[in-house]
């Protein structure tokens, strides 16, 4: 059974600071996704990571994937209040039809 | 381009009632899925489909039925609603293929069973 663990579950950080969210998964995967969710809203796709060593960046967010360690990270650089949201990683089992297993989410609050 | 459309957005049911959550996509995607999200948790897969006429169970299928008669539509049926099915339901679709395709999520359907 595929398990996906995120940490931390809750994160409060000051504006301007850097921090990393970690996502560990238990079995081989074809791809890893990062999503953002605002309260009462749907999921917004941030990154899709396909291969070992993949790194993608968008604005203040950078995601990376280490398939050997079964670990993905979402790094936040110089946080701003607008980044406050819940962030989920999700893993697509090898050979599956986009059947995602999600982590529990990291609720990020950026304080002024 | 409407993307993934879910209806209704909000619904209150009484225990034992049945209902259907509708999901439609206009992107000709082969893959479609239903997830539920409970407070403080990530999404969990209920059922999925790899194409018209083909469906299968996900992680939490009990109490739900699906069918896929067309590529566009993937309705989720609650057979006899229970309070434990109070949740937010998301439909998703994606194209078939090996490259990094985005998975598109609907806006969600908020269901309360009393």
């Amino acid at each position: 059974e595929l398990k996906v663990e995120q940490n931390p579950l809750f994160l409060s950080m000051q504006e301007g600071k850097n921090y990393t969210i970690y996502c560990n998964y238990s079995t081989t995967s074809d791809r890893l996704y990062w999503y953002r969710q605002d309260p009462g809203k749907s999921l917004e796709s941030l990154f899709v990571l396909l291969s070992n060593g993949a790194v993608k960046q968008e604005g203040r967010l950078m995601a990376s994937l280490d398939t050997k360690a079964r670990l993905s990270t979402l790094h936040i650089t110089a946080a701003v209040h607008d980044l406050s949201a819940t962030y989920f990683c999700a893993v697509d089992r090898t050979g599956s039809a986009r059947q995602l297993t999600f982590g529990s989410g990291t609720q990020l609050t950026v304080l002024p | 381009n409407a993307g993934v459309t879910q209806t209704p957005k909000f619904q209150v049911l009484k225990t034992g009632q049945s209902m259907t959550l509708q999901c439609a996509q206009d992107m000709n995607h082969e893959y479609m899925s239903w997830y539920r999200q409970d407070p403080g948790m990530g999404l969990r897969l209920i059922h999925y489909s790899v194409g018209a006429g083909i469906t299968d169970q996900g992680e939490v299928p009990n109490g739900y039925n699906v069918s896929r008669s067309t590529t566009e539509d993937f309705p989720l049926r609650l057979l006899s609603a229970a309070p434990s099915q109070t949740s937010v339901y998301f439909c998703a679709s994606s194209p078939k293929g090996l490259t990094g395709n985005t998975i598109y999520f609907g806006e969600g359907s908020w269901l309360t069973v009393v």
Side-chain angles (χ1 to χ4, degrees):
Chain A
E1 180 188 353
L2 174 58
K3 292 188 184 298
V4 180
E5 292 185 355
Q6 266 181 259
N7 66 83
L9 298 182
F10 299 94
L11 176 58
S12 290
M13 53 191 300
Q14 297 287 332
E15 278 192 330
K17 298 293 187 183
N18 305 333
Y19 209 84
T20 300
I21 299 171
Y22 297 88
C23 176
N24 290 91
Y25 55 97
S26 61
T27 62
T28 304
S29 169
D30 271 346
R31 53 184 63 79
L32 188 137
Y33 303 80
W34 283 98
Y35 290 95
R36 168 182 172 145
Q37 187 178 40
D38 293 299
K41 301 294 186 182
S42 186
L43 280 77
E44 174 189 352
S45 179
L46 296 174
F47 303 107
V48 182
L49 303 172
L50 300 180
S51 59
N52 189 43
V55 177
K56 290 194 174 181
Q57 183 165 4
E58 181 73 35
R60 300 175 188 274
L61 301 178
M62 183 175 70
S64 66
L65 178 62
D66 181 344
T67 58
K68 294 180 181 177
R70 295 178 184 162
L71 171 68
S72 180
T73 60
L74 181 66
H75 186 71
I76 302 157
T77 301
V80 294
H81 179 69
D82 285 352
L83 290 179
S84 296
T86 299
Y87 293 84
F88 291 97
C89 65
V91 175
D92 184 356
R93 279 186 300 111
T94 299
S96 82
R98 308 293 187 273
Q99 302 149 43
L100 298 184
T101 299
F102 281 80
S104 298
T106 296
Q107 187 175 318
L108 172 65
T109 303
V110 180
L111 304 171
Chain B
N1 187 348
V4 180
T5 303
Q6 289 183 233
T7 57
K9 192 169 179 67
F10 299 98
Q11 183 73 47
V12 178
L13 281 181
K14 294 183 179 179
T15 297
Q17 286 185 317
S18 62
M19 77 158 297
T20 300
L21 299 177
Q22 302 290 346
C23 176
Q25 52 92 7
D26 60 358
M27 298 171 282
N28 202 32
H29 287 168
E30 293 87 351
Y31 298 155
M32 295 186 75
S33 303
W34 277 103
Y35 295 85
R36 61 177 286 173
Q37 184 177 29
D38 298 307
M41 296 178 67
L43 280 66
R44 291 184 293 168
L45 181 65
I46 304 172
H47 285 284
Y48 65 96
S49 170
V50 299
I54 306 170
T55 65
D56 206 345
Q57 297 180 351
E59 179 185 357
V60 288
N62 292 341
Y64 306 95
N65 269 356
V66 292
S67 59
R68 185 104 178 263
S69 56
T70 66
T71 298
E72 294 78 19
D73 299 301
F74 191 42
L76 178 72
R77 297 182 186 86
L78 280 71
L79 309 173
S80 177
S84 61
Q85 293 179 304
T86 294
S87 190
V88 184
Y89 292 84
F90 289 98
C91 180
S93 77
S94 63
K96 186 177 179 180
L98 295 177
T99 57
N101 303 115
T102 301
I103 298 175
Y104 297 83
F105 284 86
E107 293 297 306
S109 294
W110 273 253
L111 176 67
T112 301
V113 182
V114 297

